[in-house]
Amino acid sequence: MLSIKNLHASVAGKPILKGIDLEVAAGEVHAIMGPNGSGKSTLANVLAGRDFVEVTEGTVTYQGANLLDLEPEERAREGVFLAFQYPVEIPGVSNIYLLKAAVNAIRKHRGAEELDAMGFLKLVREKLKLVEMRDEFLHRSVNEGFSGGEKKRNEILQMAMLEPTLAILDETDSGLDIDALKIVASGVNALRSPERSMIVVTHYQRLLDYIVPDRVHVLAGGKVVRSGDKDLALELEAHGYSWIEKEPAQAAAG
Amino acid sequence: MAKTATELDTLVRREYKEGFYTDIESDTFPPGLDEDVVRALSAKKGEPGFMTEWRLEAFRRWQQLTEPSWAHVHYPKIDFQAISYYSAPKRPEDGPQSLDEVDPKLLETYEKLGIPIEEQKMLAGVAVDAVFDSVSVATTFKKTLSDAGVIFCPISEAVHEHPELVKQYLGSVVPPTDNYYASLNSAVFSDGSFVYVPKGVRCPMELSTYFRINAMNTGQFERTLIIADEGSYVSYLEGCTAPMRDENQLHAAVVELVAMKDAQIKYSTVQNWYPGDEEGRGGIYNFVTKRGACRGENAKISWTQVETGSAITWKYPSVILEGDNSIGEFYSVALTNNMQQADTGTKMVHIGKNTSSTIVSKGISAGRGQQSYRGLVKALKSAENARNYSQCDSLLMGDKCGAHTFPYIEIKNPTATVEHEATTSRIGEDQLFYCRQRGLSEEDAVSMIVNGFCKEVFKELPMEFAVEAQKLLGISLEGAVG
Ligand SMILES: Nc1ncnc2c1ncn2[C@@H]1O[C@H](COP(=O)(O)OP(=O)(O)OP(=O)(O)O)[C@@H](O)[C@H]1O
Ligand SMILES: [Mg+2]
């Protein structure tokens, strides 16, 4: 599904990612943890195609093709979805309008017919239930005046509508109360399937109780310094990142 | 970031889509302006004596005035003696009686613009009074209108057919002495529309005029006069584009609206004149005086404008609220791209009691465009309980453009309330990226964000016009990103 090899990337001339290797197979969920500023969002940005991040070395292969060659919208249409750490507000553009434009852009790319108003509404109502959002949110401007938790839920709603092949969730759990966390997690779990891979960036092992990952990676200083199964998250929780920093040289990609 | 800024730049840069030039032989005056030219112009139109005198009086006033310089726009000095003040298609005397008689080249021009008259007529049920240069060449739906008692004709015709109305109202809202360009227009106005809606009549269709500017060095001086008598209603649409040209073209129109007691006039404009090339060469100078008077109680005048064209725009559609409880509205979207400059806004003058006005102005600047909002809200001593609400929002694309806001408030009555809100925002890379990450192309993303920004204004436009306006914004910003 996704193969990252020796990825180096800089922002404003400053190296941030310093040789990342990561293999995500179809159907797998990988968690990425790591201290603030270690490059987690930068990695997510590289995958989504944000152009202020400059890839200086390495390759990213997605479904057998060079992901880095594609424009952001092409990646999205090919099934790459990023749930943003900080979703932006777009005044005057209703949530439903953006959703519809996005769904139809992606359907068109896949050679499917555009959804008509009725079909679209039916689909969106179904997905709203999944994330327990009220209809009212459809008609508000995109993220405008949404609470932190509502913004995160809105990201999951979009994900559910767009049915991506590779979903990257950047700290979707941050700022969520415990009920919202469960809702988001069940939304994510509902999308788990053998054809779909996910990369879940988080600071809290708590999320991983609900979304159980196949692999956990620790990113520090722009490198994957440790990889393991879900128990790695528990160890991190118990000992903190300094524990890893004291015990180097064990890093393994996986 | 750097890369995206240049990308924004390329999307801003796009060729003017309506740019082509129709080659029709013109019957044109040599350049220059003096009393003889004014007389000749009036004679050419076979005008009655009162009209010739009115023009001459205006011309004499104009000579005493100086060109205004307070607007936040810059352009080389205009040589008014280098302009030709009359130009008409070949057969002005025996004007066409039906479309079959219209020069096929002209029809082709409209076709290219995507506004085929035939289709317009059938699809929209809109009466089209097409002004090509100075002489109206097609007037349709006359019968439906005349059955309702509505007069809708070229103003040159109204001068002959309805001299009493013209005498009574022409210059009653914008006097010939009003300002430099209004004076000039009064002296040499070419043609335009005349509308009279009698008492209690709801005009049975939207009235619409497409203006075009053509023929070398011919200043266009449209003059429009709309009168809504007591209890009547009329909605008037004005839309325009121009062929690509290299010379600067002056356009100084005057539009006067008169709404009597309980009458309502809705005036909508979509303006897409040639803005000049990327370096600002060519392009229309658009110096317009638009003003409406609410003469009676409960009268209402709404201006809605979408301004995307012209090299320089200088335009302040205004409402004089004389009647008690009368209402004035101004909804505006103005877009400046490349080297375009716009200084636009409105004046709301509250005279009657309980008068209210609403101003919603949305300015979009891209490229090296410069834009100013200039608005005056004035409440005279008599304006007991006058209310105004103003909202001026600016949206910037890229980092080379500018937006400026000049709100002026003069309140002479302590019971008046005035509310003003203003915001400036930048189309964020973050917003664009967010949309693209959801699968939208960059152009679709820009157009979605911009249309979202303009929503409150677009909803005031008649349906078909709103669609056209959205398209126009999309076209105008093509290349602004990408
Ligand atoms: N647009 C940018 N301009 C300058 N520096 C940036 C930019 N984006 C990221 N950086 C820098 O890159 C480094 C990695 O940032 P990144 O956002 O990837 O960290 P993170 O691991 O996601 O952190 P957090 O856990 O706080 O979200 C930080 O030092 C950050 O300041
Ligand atoms: Mg982050």
Side-chain angles (χ1 to χ4, degrees):
Chain A
M1 169 75 57
L2 181 73
S3 169
I4 302 175
K5 292 208 162 76
N6 191 32
L7 181 68
H8 287 70
S10 312
V11 174
K14 180 177 147 212
I16 308 288
L17 301 182
K18 299 167 185 166
I20 302 237
D21 290 289
L22 190 66
E23 299 288 332
V24 182
E28 286 182 349
V29 173
H30 288 226
I32 294 184
M33 304 181 81
N36 293 135
S38 58
K40 303 182 296 298
S41 295
T42 304
L43 175 61
N45 278 329
V46 168
L47 297 179
R50 193 84 214 231
D51 59 10
F52 65 72
V53 185
E54 191 195 349
V55 175
T56 50
E57 212 183 319
T59 58
V60 180
T61 311
Y62 168 68
Q63 293 184 321
N66 181 0
L67 185 68
L68 303 178
D69 271 353
L70 303 180
E71 292 293 326
E73 58 268 37
E74 294 170 328
R75 300 181 195 199
R77 292 169 195 168
E78 289 290 338
V80 176
F81 180 91
L82 171 61
F84 287 82
Q85 184 174 1
Y86 306 107
V88 298
E89 305 190 351
I90 312 179
V93 175
S94 67
N95 227 2
I96 192 167
Y97 190 92
L98 173 65
L99 269 176
K100 194 161 183 227
V103 165
N104 283 332
I106 287 170
R107 286 181 72 97
K108 195 170 155 204
H109 180 75
R110 292 179 184 160
E113 261 183 46
E114 295 197 353
L115 278 183
D116 61 16
M118 289 303 286
F120 177 79
L121 213 58
K122 193 166 163 283
L123 185 66
V124 80
R125 290 245 161 84
E126 203 178 289
K127 304 296 184 188
L128 274 173
K129 278 205 202 97
L130 193 67
V131 289
E132 298 185 21
M133 281 170 78
R134 292 185 308 277
D135 261 30
E136 172 222 337
F137 281 96
L138 293 177
H139 303 286
R140 282 170 60 177
S141 293
V142 177
N143 292 322
E144 197 181 36
F146 286 27
S147 76
E150 286 164 353
K151 283 183 184 169
K152 297 300 176 80
R153 261 193 259 186
N154 200 31
E155 295 291 290
I156 300 303
L157 171 67
Q158 294 178 357
M159 178 171 87
M161 289 294 292
L162 300 179
E163 305 189 321
T165 314
L166 173 66
I168 305 148
L169 310 185
D170 193 356
E171 294 198 27
T172 302
D173 56 331
S174 297
L176 292 184
D177 64 41
I178 192 71
D179 291 341
L181 184 74
K182 283 183 193 160
I183 291 165
V184 164
S186 70
V188 170
N189 285 329
L191 285 169
R192 280 183 89 151
S193 90
E195 302 84 50
R196 191 168 284 143
S197 306
M198 297 192 191
I199 295 174
V200 179
V201 175
T202 182
H203 284 293
Y204 306 104
Q205 111 80 22
R206 195 183 55 179
L207 177 72
L208 305 179
D209 286 342
Y210 300 103
I211 305 173
V212 182
D214 297 297
R215 299 290 292 167
V216 176
H217 310 276
V218 179
L219 200 63
K223 282 185 171 161
V224 175
V225 295
R226 184 75 69 95
S227 294
D229 62 13
K230 62 179 167 37
D231 295 336
L232 178 58
L234 288 169
E235 285 186 68
L236 279 175
E237 183 95 335
H239 307 293
Y241 291 119
S242 54
W243 162 68
I244 285 178
E245 277 151 24
K246 277 185 214 130
E247 262 183 277
Q250 281 197 39
Chain B
M1 290 282 183
K3 186 180 168 206
T4 328
T6 45
E7 282 177 351
L8 272 167
D9 245 40
T10 17
L11 192 51
V12 175
R13 274 188 252 117
R14 53 111 204 171
E15 296 286 293
Y16 181 70
K17 287 225 166 127
E18 321 294 8
F20 45 83
Y21 177 73
T22 310
D23 195 12
I24 293 177
E25 275 185 67
S26 293
D27 171 7
T28 303
F29 279 12
L33 183 57
D34 57 23
E35 287 204 12
D36 288 341
V37 169
V38 175
R39 277 196 193 90
L41 175 66
S42 189
K44 190 100 193 160
K45 293 169 158 289
E47 287 177 349
F50 83 89
M51 210 53 251
T52 314
E53 277 314 308
W54 197 81
R55 286 178 183 277
L56 283 170
E57 183 58 29
F59 175 72
R60 286 169 200 138
R61 293 301 198 119
W62 177 69
Q63 284 181 304
Q64 290 156 18
L65 296 171
T66 48
E67 216 178 324
S69 59
W70 44 264
H72 194 79
V73 293
H74 306 277
Y75 54 92
K77 201 160 169 45
I78 299 168
D79 181 358
F80 291 94
Q81 296 303 334
I83 294 171
S84 160
Y85 289 85
Y86 183 79
S87 153
K90 252 245 136 166
R91 301 162 298 169
E93 296 86 0
D94 51 2
Q97 307 306 304
S98 77
L99 283 178
D100 310 339
E101 294 176 33
V102 173
D103 189 329
K105 268 222 175 117
L106 218 170
L107 294 179
E108 207 182 293
T109 305
Y110 287 118
E111 215 87 33
K112 278 193 226 165
L113 282 167
I115 45 162
I117 293 179
E118 273 305 322
E119 221 170 84
Q120 284 282 346
K121 285 199 287 185
M122 290 185 308
L123 290 179
V126 165
V128 175
D129 176 351
V131 174
F132 187 78
D133 274 1
S134 317
V135 173
S136 301
V137 291
T139 303
T140 52
F141 278 101
K142 274 224 145 137
K143 185 150 171 20
T144 323
L145 291 174
S146 65
D147 287 351
V150 175
I151 303 168
F152 176 39
C153 66
I155 199 158
S156 56
E157 192 180 311
V159 167
H160 295 282
E161 307 290 323
H162 311 282
E164 65 303 330
L165 286 172
V166 172
K167 259 190 216 165
Q168 187 179 349
Y169 292 106
L170 188 71
S172 75
V173 186
V174 180
T177 49
D178 191 80
N179 68 69
Y180 190 79
Y181 299 110
S183 271
L184 178 64
N185 174 289
S186 301
V188 299
F189 73 83
S190 32
D191 211 338
S193 297
F194 176 84
V195 179
Y196 174 79
V197 189
K199 278 186 192 165
V201 170
R202 192 180 168 87
C203 184
M205 60 182 70
E206 310 256 14
L207 301 180
S208 144
T209 305
Y210 287 92
F211 293 93
R212 289 184 54 75
I213 302 179
N214 210 315
M216 299 282 270
N217 281 332
T218 305
Q220 284 272 306
F221 303 95
E222 274 103 3
R223 185 95 196 183
T224 294
L225 175 59
I226 299 176
I227 304 140
D229 216 329
E230 287 183 16
S232 69
Y233 169 86
V234 62
S235 166
Y236 186 92
L237 318 181
E238 169 203 30
C240 36
T241 53
M244 186 173 247
R245 300 186 29 79
D246 211 17
E247 233 80 21
N248 283 313
Q249 288 181 306
L250 174 64
H251 184 87
V254 171
V255 176
E256 295 179 278
L257 311 181
V258 181
M260 308 304 284
K261 184 167 177 284
D262 299 319
Q264 188 180 340
I265 302 175
K266 197 170 160 55
Y267 192 105
S268 312
T269 305
V270 171
Q271 188 266 115
N272 183 29
W273 279 320
Y274 183 51
D277 66 13
E278 285 167 34
E279 295 309 313
R281 281 185 301 259
I284 305 296
Y285 291 1
N286 191 19
F287 302 144
V288 187
T289 306
K290 287 185 165 174
R291 194 175 305 155
C294 287
R295 291 263 157 89
E297 283 166 43
N298 306 313
K300 178 174 175 184
I301 289 178
S302 309
W303 297 102
T304 307
Q305 59 174 30
V306 177
E307 303 273 328
T308 61
S310 298
I312 299 173
T313 301
W314 181 97
K315 179 178 174 185
Y316 317 90
S318 307
V319 185
I320 314 292
L321 298 151
E322 294 166 24
D324 291 348
N325 309 314
S326 59
I327 298 171
E329 294 175 336
F330 173 74
Y331 298 96
S332 169
V333 167
L335 182 150
T336 47
N337 196 350
N338 294 320
M339 295 291 280
Q340 281 178 280
Q341 308 173 58
D343 193 303
T344 179
T346 185
K347 275 188 264 180
M348 294 290 174
V349 181
H350 294 256
I351 299 172
K353 294 189 188 73
N354 304 314
T355 47
S356 69
S357 59
T358 303
I359 298 171
V360 177
S361 162
K362 303 278 180 176
I364 302 157
S365 290
R368 284 176 284 170
Q370 286 293 331
Q371 195 167 130
S372 305
Y373 167 81
R374 193 181 299 277
L376 169 68
V377 176
K378 190 170 176 173
L380 302 195
K381 232 182 165 128
S382 52
E384 203 69 26
N385 293 317
R387 290 182 308 278
N388 164 267
Y389 171 74
S390 301
Q391 185 191 332
C392 307
D393 299 323
S394 307
L395 186 67
L396 305 175
M397 298 179 66
D399 49 15
K400 294 190 203 79
C401 53
H404 319 270
T405 304
F406 305 99
Y408 305 96
I409 297 171
E410 284 175 35
I411 304 296
K412 299 273 159 55
N413 186 307
T415 62
T417 56
V418 174
E419 249 181 282
H420 182 90
E421 286 176 28
T423 65
T424 299
S425 52
R426 204 169 277 281
I427 282 205
E429 298 302 333
D430 288 349
Q431 289 175 330
L432 282 179
F433 184 71
Y434 190 82
C435 297
R436 294 177 76 190
Q437 213 302 305
R438 299 302 182 244
L440 275 68
S441 70
E442 193 152 20
E443 289 186 8
D444 287 348
V446 167
S447 127
M448 187 175 79
I449 294 167
V450 168
N451 282 317
F453 174 74
C454 301
K455 205 178 204 166
E456 289 148 285
V457 173
F458 286 166
K459 74 179 185 356
E460 296 299 323
L461 287 171
M463 190 58 181
E464 326 81 67
F465 234 35
V467 173
E468 200 175 305
Q470 291 202 12
K471 257 196 270 168
L472 194 53
L473 278 197
I475 293 174
S476 303
L477 285 171
E478 251 170 48
V481 187

